[in-house]
Structures are given as structure tokens and as C-alpha cells.
Amino acid sequence: MQISARNSFKGTVKSMTPGAVNTEVVIEVAPGLEITAVITKTSAEGLGVSVGGEVYAVVKASDVMVAVD
Amino acid sequence: MQISARNSFKGTVKSMTPGAVNTEVVIEVAPGLEITAVITKTSAEGLGVSVGGEVYAVVKASDVMVAVD
Amino acid sequence: MQISARNSFKGTVKSMTPGAVNTEVVIEVAPGLEITAVITKTSAEGLGVSVGGEVYAVVKASDVMVAVD
Amino acid sequence: MQISARNSFKGTVKSMTPGAVNTEVVIEVAPGLEITAVITKTSAEGLGVSVGGEVYAVVKASDVMVAVD
Amino acid sequence: MQISARNSFKGTVKSMTPGAVNTEVVIEVAPGLEITAVITKTSAEGLGVSVGGEVYAVVKASDVMVAVD
Amino acid sequence: MQISARNSFKGTVKSMTPGAVNTEVVIEVAPGLEITAVITKTSAEGLGVSVGGEVYAVVKASDVMVAVD
């Protein structure tokens, strides 16, 4: 399946913090570059996401902001 | 100002596509790794975003999804 | 690729309205039941989305609200 | 009150999973077709959402992605 | 209809900028305090939003970030 | 750092509800006018957000909806 979300970054799961509803997933997409996702615990379990596993972080372009110094 | 959005990636603006309301901004955050943002044209102009400039792509963790092959 | 977004609905593209940056895509997911998506024009073209084509409407659970009468 | 969110689907609450902050609400909008929402626990309680109740799942068009096989 | 979105601010439409797909709506919610929304042009027209009209700006809590100086 | 998010409201933190993953933060931005944010617990702690503290509620324009009576 190909999705319209413009941003997809391959990485390795560094840590997972499960709550009752959501799970926080920290993904290293390059050395020293991490992306944090919050997804439902049901999704994390359904996809078999686990520390050390290879995943993609996916973001819709309309959810990306731009900042300047 | 520090913001709660967990994900912030420094990069260089590669291209900008303005519309009547929104502007698409493509940011290279690492060699070969681009993030696309859609922000309002007013914001892009107000921040002085321009091709070649240094910016940050910022994403709230709850807007990041996880995918697996 | 499997994605953490919990909601995925198969349907047929009924109409597309392109702008300079975004394209509005109306998808019929059941008789009389339509979902409207706004994605970048680049994504719509890159995925080959066209009227009459079969697509999925995909939504992250944290973007779904609940209303009552 | 009428809202600009383009997508509104009437359905029946199938299950609720409360956490400390958020509650996951699974809504059946057609036979075999479910939408999952994550809203604050305070909202779920304030609206009186309960299993078996009739609700609407509401989604802003800019939060809908499109995928193809 | 009552919605789970936690944040709703009554105000007056100060300006509207229509594009092909989206319309930017600037709403004054208190003297000198404005909220900018980007909604589909179809929604803006369907709701009859016009400059000077009374509307509500509505935001889901998971879309609100926190910043500190 | 200046960010493209169009909406930023200064206020005082009224209450915080921490969960395992997320923390709900209620911010009073004007007398009787509150904004509720849900951010990760790690962000809330990292920014030093505490009840009584001065913060900004920040919202991207594409996450704001418009409603009419």
C-alpha cells in the first residue's frame, strides 16, 4: 500500500513507553536523529512494533510546521 | 521560545510552491532526506522562509504514525 | 506496508479538485457515504489518484472526534 | 452547531478503553465498518459517551490521507 | 450537536482568503486576540461563513502544543 | 525560535493531569477562557510546565475548525 503522506523515514525503534491507550515510540532515523511517535497501544501491538525493530515514521505534510531561529 | 513538539529537524529549504492560502516547503534535513511541510502563505512570508535558507521542520509526536513492511 | 493509522476505508474516487498546493479528493466508501480528503497535489499525482479509481481513506485515531446530538 | 469538519459518520459505540488522559472509542458506522477515535477522558465523560450509545465520528478533511494498493 | 473537541472560542470573522481548495478564516475571539483557521472552501461556503459573522473556532486538545519562553 | 503555527496564546497553567504517555494541560488565556492541550509527559517535564506557570498555547491553522450556530 502506498500512502499520500509525504514524509516517511526508515529507522530503528529505540524505546517504547506503553500507556493504557497510547504507546510512545522513539525511532532513530539517522545517527543521533530521533523521531517520537504517539500511536494507540492497539496499533503498536497489532503491527508487532518492538525495540530494535525496523519501522517507518510517517507524517502528513499538513502536520509539519516550519521554524526559524 | 521552546515548544512541546517533540520533533525538530534542522535543514535547508530546497523548494517552495506557493498557492493562494498555503505554501508547500520542501526541506532537506540530511543528504537525500527531505521533509515536506504545508504551512500558510502568510506564515512562510512572515518568517521570511526562502529557498536556501536554514529552517527547522517541527512535528508534534501525536501526528507521527508508524509503519512496518 | 502496514501503517499504525487505525482507520482505513476502501472506496471509489468521486471527484477531485486541484489547487496550486493541495487537491481535494472525495471518496465514496459506501452507497451515500463519502469521505473528503485534502492531500498535496504532488501526492495525488504521485499516487495516480483519478476519478473512478479505487483508493483507501486513511485516518489516525487521534484525529477522530466524537459528537453527540 | 454545524462544524466545518467535512466528515461525519453516525454510528454506535462498540467499546471504550479509558486511560488517565485519553479514552479510545470504537464506533461501528456500518455493519463491519468501525472507526476508532482517541479523545480526552474528560470529553468522553462530559458528552456522556457510553457503549451502545449513538454518536458521530467527525474528521477534518485535512486529516484524511489517501492510499492505493 | 456537541463535539468532543475541548476548545471552542466564539468570535467574529475579520477576514477570509479563499484559494482553490482551502479558505483561510481569521476570527477575532477577544479584542486584539485572533485565531486563524484553514478549512475547505466548500465548508466555508456550506456554513455561510462571511466577514463580520459570528462563528466559533474549534480545536481538538491533541492539536494544541505548549511553549515556554 | 519563531514557528509557522499561526496561533499562539499566552496564559497561565490552571491544572495538569499526567498519564503514562500524555499529560493534559489546561491553560487560562483570558479570564474565563481556557485552552486544553494534550502533550507528551516527557515534553511537559522537559519544558518544566507546572501549575501557575506562564506558557503559550500554540495551534497550527490547519488544525482549527469553524462552527456556526
Side-chain angles (χ1 to χ4, degrees):
Chain A
M1 198 170 82
Q2 276 185 287
I3 197 159
S4 60
R6 291 286 290 278
N7 302 295
S8 179
F9 306 105
K10 196 174 192 172
T12 303
V13 178
K14 298 289 284 184
S15 68
M16 297 176 67
T17 305
V21 171
N22 288 307
T23 295
E24 182 178 301
V25 183
V26 178
I27 303 163
E28 189 178 57
V29 295
L33 189 60
E34 293 178 352
I35 296 183
T36 300
V38 173
I39 63 177
T40 60
K41 187 160 80 168
T42 302
S43 283
E45 293 174 354
L47 293 178
V49 178
S50 60
V51 174
E54 285 210 340
V55 299
Y56 298 84
V58 179
V59 182
K60 195 175 189 302
S62 54
D63 288 328
V64 182
M65 293 164 284
V66 176
V68 296
D69 274 325
Chain B
M1 197 170 81
Q2 275 185 288
I3 197 160
S4 60
R6 291 284 292 278
N7 303 295
S8 178
F9 307 104
K10 196 173 192 172
T12 303
V13 177
K14 298 288 284 185
S15 68
M16 297 177 68
T17 305
V21 171
N22 289 307
T23 296
E24 182 179 301
V25 182
V26 179
I27 303 163
E28 189 178 55
V29 294
L33 188 60
E34 294 178 351
I35 296 184
T36 300
V38 173
I39 63 177
T40 60
K41 187 159 80 167
T42 302
S43 282
E45 293 174 354
L47 293 178
V49 178
S50 60
V51 174
E54 284 210 341
V55 299
Y56 297 84
V58 179
V59 183
K60 194 175 191 300
S62 55
D63 288 328
V64 182
M65 293 164 283
V66 176
V68 296
D69 274 325
Chain C
M1 197 170 80
Q2 274 185 289
I3 197 160
S4 60
R6 291 285 290 279
N7 302 296
S8 178
F9 306 104
K10 197 173 193 173
T12 302
V13 178
K14 297 290 283 183
S15 67
M16 296 176 68
T17 306
V21 171
N22 289 307
T23 296
E24 182 177 300
V25 182
V26 178
I27 303 162
E28 189 178 56
V29 295
L33 187 59
E34 292 179 352
I35 296 183
T36 300
V38 173
I39 62 177
T40 61
K41 188 160 79 167
T42 303
S43 281
E45 292 173 355
L47 292 178
V49 178
S50 60
V51 174
E54 286 209 339
V55 299
Y56 297 84
V58 178
V59 183
K60 194 174 191 301
S62 53
D63 289 327
V64 182
M65 293 164 284
V66 176
V68 297
D69 274 325
Chain D
M1 198 171 80
Q2 275 185 289
I3 197 160
S4 59
R6 291 283 291 278
N7 302 295
S8 178
F9 307 104
K10 196 172 192 172
T12 303
V13 178
K14 297 289 283 184
S15 68
M16 298 177 68
T17 307
V21 172
N22 289 307
T23 295
E24 182 178 300
V25 182
V26 178
I27 303 161
E28 190 177 58
V29 294
L33 189 59
E34 292 178 352
I35 295 184
T36 301
V38 173
I39 63 176
T40 60
K41 188 159 80 167
T42 302
S43 282
E45 292 174 354
L47 293 178
V49 177
S50 60
V51 174
E54 284 211 338
V55 300
Y56 297 84
V58 178
V59 183
K60 195 175 191 300
S62 55
D63 288 327
V64 182
M65 295 164 283
V66 176
V68 297
D69 275 325
Chain E
M1 199 171 78
Q2 276 185 289
I3 197 160
S4 60
R6 290 284 291 279
N7 302 296
S8 178
F9 306 104
K10 196 173 193 171
T12 304
V13 178
K14 298 288 283 185
S15 68
M16 297 176 68
T17 307
V21 172
N22 289 307
T23 295
E24 182 177 301
V25 183
V26 178
I27 303 161
E28 191 177 56
V29 295
L33 188 59
E34 293 178 351
I35 295 184
T36 300
V38 173
I39 63 177
T40 60
K41 188 159 80 166
T42 302
S43 282
E45 293 174 354
L47 293 178
V49 177
S50 61
V51 175
E54 285 210 340
V55 300
Y56 297 85
V58 179
V59 183
K60 195 176 191 299
S62 54
D63 289 328
V64 182
M65 292 164 285
V66 176
V68 297
D69 275 325
Chain F
M1 198 169 82
Q2 274 185 289
I3 197 160
S4 59
R6 291 286 291 278
N7 302 296
S8 178
F9 306 104
K10 196 173 193 172
T12 303
V13 177
K14 299 289 283 185
S15 68
M16 297 176 68
T17 307
V21 171
N22 289 307
T23 295
E24 182 177 302
V25 182
V26 178
I27 303 162
E28 189 178 57
V29 295
L33 188 59
E34 292 178 352
I35 296 184
T36 300
V38 173
I39 63 177
T40 60
K41 187 160 79 167
T42 301
S43 282
E45 293 174 354
L47 293 177
V49 178
S50 60
V51 174
E54 284 210 340
V55 300
Y56 297 84
V58 179
V59 183
K60 195 176 190 299
S62 54
D63 289 328
V64 182
M65 294 164 283
V66 176
V68 297
D69 273 326

